[in-house]
Structures are given as C-alpha cells and as structure tokens.
C-alpha cells in the first residue's frame, strides 16, 4: 500500500478521499488555489501545496504543477477525484512518465470511452446492448437523413464528442431533420471542436440507470445499480440505489453487460456504465442500452457504498497499489436502500441561479451521512461548483429511506446563502417519486410546484421579530408585570417589510401582533415557542436572522428603527442587485436626474454583464456601490429620492 498520496482536487471529494487515506494510514498531500488557502480539504490534509490562481486552468487543471507537487512532497500516487483532470488521458500519461501512479484507469481505457461512436462500437462488439442507430461512418447530410428514416422516427442526433446534452437534438418529423442536423453540428463544433454526429432511435420516457463497476486490470465485478433519473438539465439532483422497480433478471442482465464492458477494455479502478432504460412499460430486461462509460469515481458513489458496505475509495487505493479485487461477485450483496441529495448554493425560484456567500451557519442532520467540503464560516465562491454537501441516508426499505431523507433535509441548516434545500424537500415529498415512478422528465413536468418559494408563516415571522427584539431573559431587566411593555419592530423578508408590535407579558411570555394576527409566545431555555407549537431553530448573525422551518430556511434582516422611515417606504426606490456579482461600473452620482430606462450600473455575474436601469424617472438620492464592489443578491445599489422630495 502507498505511504503518501496527493489529491488533485478540492471540496467534498478531496475531503472524502483524505478520510479513507487516513483510515488506511496513508499520509495525504492537498493542492490548493488562491481561493482555497483556508479550505477544509487543505486543513484536513497532512501537507498542502499551493498551485496557482483561483481559475481552474490556473490551478486544479495544471498537470505540471500538480505532478511537481507530488514529486516535491514524496507522494507515490495521485488521486484525481472527479471533474478537473480525472478523465484526461494526457494527464494519466504525464503522471506515469513522472514515475508516479495514477489512481484510476489507464490512459488507453479513458481514450477508448472518450468518443461516443468508438465506445458504442467497442461495446457492441463486446456483446453489450446499444441503442439502435447509425454510427456515422459517412457524415453526408443525405446519408444521415436516410439512416434516420431506416431507424424510424423519433430519432436523436448526438455529437460523437458530446456530453451533458450538448449537440443533442430530438427529431420527430423527417421534414425537420436537415435543420436539426445543422444546428446540432454547429453546437458540437463550438463546444467540442468536432462536428461529427451519430443518430439513435429516441428512447421515450427514459430512465438513467447506471452500474458501478470495479476492475483490477485482470478481472471485474459490478456493485449493482444506481438510479439517477431525477435530473434537471442534465444535472443530477437526487440519486438512489438500488433502482426502484428493478427485477432480479433485469439486474442480472445489466450487471452482466456492465462487467462485459469493463472486461472488454481491461478496466482498472472504479467506473460507471451508464444505461438508458425505456420505462414506458415498466422495467424490462430487453429495454436497456449502453450510453457511455464514466472512467472515474462518481459524485453519487456513496449510495453504492451504503447498500454494499464497500468503501470505494479504499478499493481504488488497494487496486492502484497492486492488490487484486477485494471481493468476488458472489460476495457482494445489497442491503436496504439509499438516497443521496445534492445540496447546492443556488436560487431555485430565480431559475436555479448559482449563488455565492459566506456560510454564517451550517448544521447537518444526525443519523445521515453528509459529505461536505465546507464548514461554517467558509465561502461559496463563484470559481467552483456551488455544491455545499451531499446528504446520504440508508434505510431498510425505500419507503423508510425516503422518510429519512425528508427528515434529514428538514434538519439541515444553512445560513448565509440561498440553497436548493426547499426544492430537495419538495422532491422528497413528491408522490410520483415516492411511488418510484421516476424518469428524466419528472422534475420538468412538475417544475412549478417543486420550485415554489415556501412562504413564511406568521409563526416564522413572529420568531424573527422576537429574535430582533432580543427581549432580556431576566425578569428584572426593565419589564413591569402590571404594565405590559409594547415595542414596535420591523424586519425585512425579501422585499417585504414585516412590522409588528411585541408586548412583553413577563420574562418568558410575549405577545406578537403582526398583520392582524396575534400570536402568543413562551420561552424556555432561551428558545421561543409560538402558540405551543414545536420550537424552530433560530440563528442570529451580525446582519441577519434565520428561522429554520421544515419547509425551508427563512432569512430576515432587522430594520434599524431610525432608518426605517427612509428605507421602508422607499423599497420601490432602490435598484437592487439581482444576483451576487461584481459591480463593473456606476454611471450616476447623487443629485443626478434620471429617466426610466437610463443605465445606472453594470453588474458582472456568472460570466455575463447585466445592465441595471432606472425603474422610473427621478433623482438619484444615494449611490451605495462603486465599481469593484462585490455585492450580494438583493443589495441596494442606487436609491432614488421619493417623488415628492425631488
Ligand atoms: C438519449 C435519450 C433518448 N433516446 N438517447 C442525455 C445526456 C446524454 N448523455 C444522453 N441523453 C439522452 N440520450 C436516446 N437514444 C434521452 C437522453 C436524455 C437523458 C438521459 C439521461 C438522463 C437525463 C436525460 C435528460 C434528457 C435526455
């Protein structure tokens, strides 16, 4: 076994790998960019080497710097994690040329699976079912069109170099074929520098079921399937193992096909064979087809670990160091059912916009596995994937595991960034999902219901008001029992001002009046309960109050009572930052007269520039941001004067 390895990655997967290395007594070397100097993976590793700037091409994609770091620190092997350099055959060759071991498959195996048409041919020859289609030996448009006729419509045009749905077009009618081909080609040329396509029969109501394989270069086994059908725009959201509705004969057929695929390329290490399954008539052993092979450890590997009891990173390290497969196929079994939910910093109601921010508070549920690369106080930066954590549960049955998932999500607390937690919770409670009736279109069909922003109840608002009131816990600290003390308070929630009065009825009792409702509150051990309901966790930071309700986290900002008259009425007067970003330019100064539609400022966010314009005619009262400022979503950038003040 190795004495020391380098992990060429960051975030949760780097932390995950370090944990297993530590368990096996292997020393670890982290690498990090400027943006990750204080990151969790750096803190966890025994040593860490700085490799460059925050942009991936300046650090985590720098093969030379990473190999140099391994040589300098005396690491014997490099674990690539997923993403970054994990499926780059040139990197594998450079690692091996430097006399180091790449913890993963050979460059040749990665290359064999890199192009869709070549991979499909290889798999077909190995006896693995592939989707009926044309592999594009001749790329002339009229040849492709006549092949599409032979396949019978609907067909799918796919870029041979494709991935993530790019360069893919469904065609239902032959008259649309030529246009679809041209647009798939040009998209593929732009994205991959390769405009070759293949044509497949279009599979209706597809399910994405993948099989985990493991090879040692001589032999291969499979570790059963995962269902990853719950996706949105090719981003997986919730994965599970085993696949709901899977029969023993179909599992055996898929497992056999996956092992055949791995053996055909002498596979070494962890890999995944992705199949597309026609679920229009239930799961049937003759309705699955090879789609592609991922030659790496995948994000969703923990659900396989949960049901098999295998530590896949341990297997990777053992096989890479020369051991043979730790278990035979007949020693592998499935126990129970597991789910993984991907918790992201993103603004779901705004269309799943990636979000950033400092995580003021972060708490994961007990009784669930949470794989995370961040801690409370860490920042989700715009440089990398905004995943906060993977929440993994494992129960004896699918129904039990699903209820564990709901509970685990309800008990997850994140403050400081918006997250997709409410969306994940809504999915975990979705009736079709509970029935196991999953397919890749489920999320899109029910998008409206699933992405509805949860609304704060009066009880949630009252808890925020009580937190803002900060009533002293001491009976003698200024409250008269026979003359209840009334205070007017306000908090902001999104752009709504919630005004309330709090009457202290005693040290541990209060009445909150808001919007016509009157709520009774009692306190014990510093925790408020509203009208006798279960208390909810409340976190107060320097600038915000968070109430964690089962349906989601609600963020409030206390309104300074002195500034309230100015700001409260003026919500419509403020130009707010629509998303986190960098202020590139501000075009106005205080006192300047503007007309509706005038350019006020430019915000750079998510690699695009957004021009912010005046909502109405008016006079600029205040400019609150300047070029170079990093601003949060919802930050007021420019205030217009009240119309009557102008
Ligand atoms: C398909 C298909 C239907 N028929 N192939 C999407 C990503 C790419 N790797 C393959 N994909 C698909 N291939 C045929 N012949 C439908 C999809 C597809 C899909 C597949 C898996 C998971 C989610 C998906 C979402 C939309 C389309």
């Amino acid at each position: 076994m190795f004495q020391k390895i380098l992990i060429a990655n960051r975030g949760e997967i780097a932390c995950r790998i370090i944990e297993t290395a530590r368990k096996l007594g292997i020393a670890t070397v982290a690498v990090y960019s400027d943006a990750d100097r204080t990151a969790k993976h750096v803190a966890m590793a025994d040593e860490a080497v700085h490799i460059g700037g925050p942009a991936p091409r300046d650090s985590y994609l720098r093969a030379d710097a990473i190999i140099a770091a391994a040589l300098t620190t005396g690491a014997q092997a490099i674990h690539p994690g997923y993403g970054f350099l994990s499926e780059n055959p040139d990197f594998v060759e450079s690692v091996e040329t430097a006399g180091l071991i790449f913890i993963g498959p050979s460059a040749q195996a990665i290359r064999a699976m890199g192009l869709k048409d070549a991979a499909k041919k290889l798999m077909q020859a190995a006896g693995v079912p592939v989707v009926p289609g044309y592999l594009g030996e001749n790329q002339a448009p009229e040849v492709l069109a006549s092949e599409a006729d032979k396949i019978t419509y609907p067909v799918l045009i796919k870029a041979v170099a494709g991935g993530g749905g790019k360069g893919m077009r469904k065609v239902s009618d032959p008259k649309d074929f030529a246009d679809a081909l041209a647009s798939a080609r040009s998209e593929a040329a732009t994205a991959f520098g390769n405009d070759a396509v293949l044509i497949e029969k279009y599979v209706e109501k597809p399910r994405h079921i993948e099989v985990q394989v493991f090879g040692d270069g001589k032999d291969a086994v499979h570790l059963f399937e995962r269902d990853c059908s719950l996706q949105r725009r090719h981003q997986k959201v919730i994965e599970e193992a085993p696949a709901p509705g899977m029969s023993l004969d179909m599992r055996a057929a898929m497992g056999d096909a996956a092992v055949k695929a791995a053996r055909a390329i002498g596979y070494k290490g962890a890999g995944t064979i992705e199949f597309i399954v026609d679920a229009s008539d239930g799961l049937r052993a003759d309705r699955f087809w090879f789609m592609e092979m991922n030659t790496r450890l995948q994000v969703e590997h923990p659900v396989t670990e949960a049901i098999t009891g295998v530590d896949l990173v341990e297997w990777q390290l053992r096989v890479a160091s020369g051991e043979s497969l730790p278990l035979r196929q007949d020693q592998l079994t499935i126990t129970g059912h597991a789910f993984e939910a991907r918790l992201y910093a993103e603004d779901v109601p705004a269309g799943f916009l990636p979000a950033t921010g400092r995580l003021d508070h972060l708490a994961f549920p007990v009784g669930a596995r949470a794989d995370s690369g961040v801690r409370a106080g860490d920042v989700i930066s715009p440089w990398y994937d905004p995943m906060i954590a993977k929440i993994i549960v494992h129960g004896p049955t699918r129904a039990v595991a699903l209820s564990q998932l709901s509970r685990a999500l309800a008990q997850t607390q994140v403050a400081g960034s918006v997250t997709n937690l409410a969306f994940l919770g809504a999915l975990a409670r979705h009736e079709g999902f509970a029935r196991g009736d999953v397919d890749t279109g489920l999320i899109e069909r029910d998008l409206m219901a699933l992405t509805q922003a949860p609304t704060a109840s009066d009880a949630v608002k009252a808890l925020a008001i009580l937190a803002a009131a900060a009533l002293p816990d001491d009976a003698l600290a200024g409250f008269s029992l026979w003359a209840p003390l009334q205070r007017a308070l306000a908090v902001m929630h999104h752009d709504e001002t919630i005004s309330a009065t709090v009457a202290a009825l005693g040290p541990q009792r209060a009445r909150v009046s808001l919007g016509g409702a009157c709520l009774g509150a009692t306190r014990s051990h510093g925790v408020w309960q509203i009208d006798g309901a279960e208390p909810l966790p409340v976190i107060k930071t320097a600038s915000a109050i968070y109430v964690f309700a089962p349906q989601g986290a609600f963020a409030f900002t206390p309104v300074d009572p002195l500034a309230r008259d100015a700001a409260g009425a003026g919500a419509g007067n403020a130009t707010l930052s629509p998303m986190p970003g960098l202020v590139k330019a501000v075009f106005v100064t205080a006192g300047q007269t503007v007309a509706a539609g005038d350019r006020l400022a430019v915000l750079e966010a998510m690699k695009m520039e957004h021009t912010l314009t005046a909502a109405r005619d008016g006079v600029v009262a205040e400019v609150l941001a300047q070029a170079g400022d990093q601003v949060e979503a919802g930050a007021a950038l420019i205030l217009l004067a009240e119309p009557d003040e102008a």
Side-chain angles (χ1 to χ4, degrees):
M1 182 48 78
F2 307 119
Q3 275 86 55
K4 190 192 270 194
I5 63 168
L6 179 143
I7 298 104
N9 215 301
R10 64 177 304 284
E12 70 87 16
I13 193 60
C15 298
R16 160 76 192 85
I17 295 161
I18 293 170
E19 267 175 23
T20 288
R22 184 142 302 151
K23 179 180 89 176
L24 300 179
I26 302 169
T28 54
V29 182
V31 291
Y32 63 94
S33 72
D34 287 338
D36 279 339
R37 282 181 192 282
T38 61
K40 181 178 171 190
H41 77 282
V42 173
M44 279 179 75
D46 298 306
E47 288 171 76
V49 180
H50 176 246
I51 51 167
R57 68 167 181 283
D58 296 328
S59 48
Y60 300 107
L61 290 174
R62 281 189 60 201
D64 55 343
I66 290 167
I67 291 167
L71 294 172
T72 315
T73 55
Q76 299 150 294
I78 297 183
H79 195 308
Y82 52 70
F84 296 125
L85 294 166
S86 61
E87 293 180 278
N88 183 326
D90 299 336
F91 179 62
V92 177
E93 281 168 354
S94 306
V95 168
E96 289 170 352
T97 303
L100 301 166
I101 291 174
F102 179 77
I103 301 169
S106 66
Q108 177 211 332
I110 297 175
R111 285 207 181 95
M113 291 299 176
L115 287 177
K116 281 198 163 67
D117 54 345
K120 251 183 108 172
K121 278 180 200 154
L122 190 67
M123 291 300 108
Q124 202 157 22
V128 177
V130 301
V131 189
Y134 175 70
L135 292 177
E137 292 81 358
N138 183 336
Q139 290 279 317
E142 56 291 353
V143 174
L144 293 171
S146 90
E147 291 295 335
D149 291 337
K150 279 189 231 161
I151 294 165
T152 74
Y153 282 79
V155 298
L156 194 64
I157 304 173
K158 286 185 181 176
V160 304
K166 277 220 184 73
M168 213 167 80
R169 293 288 182 284
K170 177 186 178 183
V171 192
S172 303
D173 189 317
K175 74 172 164 34
D176 302 325
F177 186 84
D179 286 350
L181 177 63
S183 97
R185 276 240 162 100
S186 91
E187 192 172 302
T190 311
F192 314 112
N194 177 349
D195 74 352
V197 297
L198 52 86
I199 319 275
E200 288 181 356
K201 176 74 188 164
Y202 181 80
V203 178
E204 305 278 359
K205 208 179 179 202
R207 268 174 73 174
H208 172 133
I209 301 180
E210 57 185 34
V211 177
Q212 176 72 55
V213 292
F214 219 101
D216 60 9
K218 302 182 288 294
D219 197 10
V221 293
H222 72 83
L223 293 94
F224 313 104
E225 79 280 1
R226 297 185 284 260
D227 193 306
C228 310
S229 298
L230 245 45
Q231 310 199 349
R232 187 191 155 270
R233 307 226 172 136
H234 308 294
Q235 295 285 334
K236 294 171 184 171
V237 179
I238 296 182
E239 300 103 331
E240 61 181 303
M246 180 62 80
S247 64
L248 290 179
D249 66 324
M250 183 159 178
R251 173 172 298 133
M254 293 186 79
D256 277 352
V259 168
K260 263 187 207 152
R263 287 202 178 119
I265 53 169
Y267 198 73
K268 185 169 95 261
T272 296
I273 314 288
E274 280 185 20
F275 294 102
I276 189 163
V277 175
D278 175 351
S280 59
D281 194 16
L283 293 186
R284 297 178 38 172
D286 59 351
R287 294 213 184 153
F288 71 87
W289 301 278
F290 171 84
M291 266 208 303
E292 54 191 79
M293 179 170 190
N294 299 316
T295 51
R296 60 167 190 275
L297 185 70
Q298 299 212 150
V299 177
E300 59 272 29
H301 76 275
V303 292
T304 298
E305 296 188 319
I307 62 160
T308 60
V310 167
D311 178 336
L312 287 168
V313 175
E314 176 181 339
W315 278 34
Q316 287 187 297
L317 295 170
R318 290 173 63 171
V319 164
S321 73
E323 291 183 35
S324 45
L325 286 172
L327 291 176
R328 294 187 314 267
Q329 192 68 58
D330 62 7
Q331 294 172 305
L332 287 160
T333 53
I334 297 179
T335 303
H337 202 99
F339 287 97
E340 170 182 283
R342 299 189 187 190
L343 175 60
Y344 278 99
E346 64 184 7
D347 190 343
V348 171
F352 295 85
L353 284 183
T356 57
R358 182 178 303 278
L359 302 174
D360 295 322
H361 171 81
L362 188 59
F364 295 121
V366 290
R369 171 174 166 183
D371 282 15
S372 175
V374 288
R375 306 146 298 186
D378 286 346
V379 171
I380 301 292
S381 80
W383 295 106
Y384 311 110
D385 180 78
M387 189 158 74
I388 297 171
K390 307 186 300 199
I391 308 293
I392 303 117
V393 296
H394 180 213
T397 64
R398 186 173 189 271
V400 171
L402 189 55
S403 96
Q404 290 172 336
L405 180 66
S406 259
R407 186 187 173 80
L409 291 169
Q411 292 179 350
T412 300
Q413 301 173 355
V414 186
S417 171
V418 291
T419 73
N420 66 341
L421 205 44
F423 172 62
L424 294 174
L427 269 173
R429 293 186 300 269
H430 185 276
E431 278 182 24
F433 183 42
R435 283 196 305 270
D437 199 0
V438 294
D439 72 272
T440 57
L442 181 146
I443 290 177
E444 215 61 49
R445 282 195 300 274
D446 285 337
L447 200 62
M448 289 291 267
L450 291 168
T451 58
Q452 206 108 67
T455 49
S457 64
D458 286 345
V460 165
K461 292 175 183 171
L463 286 169
I465 290 285
L466 286 164
L471 296 181
D473 208 349
D474 174 355
L476 301 174
F479 290 99
S480 147
L481 291 176
W482 47 90
L485 213 93
Q486 291 251 126
R487 257 174 81 190
L489 283 140
V491 293
M492 294 283 295
H493 177 55
H494 298 307
D495 31 16
E496 180 197 0
T497 304
I498 297 154
S499 302
T501 55
V502 177
L505 306 176
Q508 310 297 354
R509 280 195 333 119
R511 193 174 53 231
V512 182
S513 310
L514 50 86
C518 191
L519 301 99
T522 53
R523 178 162 60 178
S524 77
H525 306 289
V527 175
W528 286 107
Q529 241 172 314
I530 304 296
D531 289 333
E534 276 290 297
L536 300 175
V538 178
I539 298 283
K540 196 171 173 184
T541 68
S543 58
I545 294 162
Y546 299 91
V547 180
F548 298 103
Q551 68 273 28
F554 296 96
F556 300 87
T557 41
V559 176
D560 175 351
L562 298 175
R564 180 143 54 101
D565 289 343
N573 297 329
T575 300
L576 307 178
S577 172
M579 60 193 90
L582 177 74
V583 178
K584 293 284 282 188
V586 177
F587 303 115
V588 292
T589 51
Q592 190 175 330
T593 301
V594 294
D598 279 1
R599 236 164 36 132
L600 301 180
V602 171
L603 184 74
E604 184 188 81
M606 297 179 308
K607 302 182 185 115
M608 291 197 305
E609 294 203 339
H610 305 265
T611 300
L612 307 179
T613 56
R616 59 168 170 81
D617 296 349
V619 174
V620 175
E622 228 181 312
V623 175
L624 303 169
Q626 55 184 21
D629 286 356
Q630 194 73 41
V631 294
E632 298 298 326
L637 304 181
I638 285 149
L639 295 179
L640 296 186
E642 282 294 315
D644 49 24
E645 291 171 28

